[in-house]
Amino acid sequence: EGIVLGRSRQADIQVLEEHVSRVHARLAFRKGYLEVKDLGSSNGTLILVPYQHLSSGERGPLSRSSRLRLGRHGPDLDISYK
């Protein structure tokens, strides 16, 4: 459940960047907040605001206005929700 980000055509949001894994991360609501989970990516997932580095399989909460980086060099995604 949730929204999958990655290079794969099967991803809900396809991100065509070389540092993004085919199935990179998942966004999902959990207990009233949005979280991101790294799905075993090669280059990791970073929550930039507030800063948190997620390794393979790790989850992290997103604030109502967050910046997310897929891989070491991006792309950066601005995530906002109500």
Side-chain angles (χ1 to χ4, degrees):
E1 188 173 313
I3 298 169
V4 174
L5 309 171
R7 278 194 344 258
S8 170
R9 288 183 187 201
Q10 283 72 40
D12 297 305
I13 297 176
Q14 191 176 20
V15 182
L16 299 175
E17 293 283 337
E18 67 178 292
H19 298 289
V20 174
S21 295
R22 285 184 290 278
V23 179
H24 196 101
R26 176 182 288 124
L27 298 173
F29 277 99
R30 184 173 185 217
K31 298 181 182 177
Y33 66 89
L34 188 63
E35 75 169 12
V36 61
K37 179 178 181 183
D38 186 281
L39 296 175
S41 71
S42 301
N43 294 304
T45 301
L46 286 87
I47 301 171
L48 299 174
V49 180
Y51 183 81
Q52 182 180 357
H53 180 268
L54 303 176
S55 298
S56 179
E58 288 187 314
R59 301 171 190 237
L62 297 175
S63 65
R64 296 206 180 271
S65 182
S66 293
R67 179 167 285 170
L68 185 64
R69 177 172 289 163
L70 303 179
R72 284 174 275 196
H73 305 291
D76 291 355
L77 306 171
D78 290 319
I79 309 287
S80 296
Y81 68 98
K82 294 181 179 185

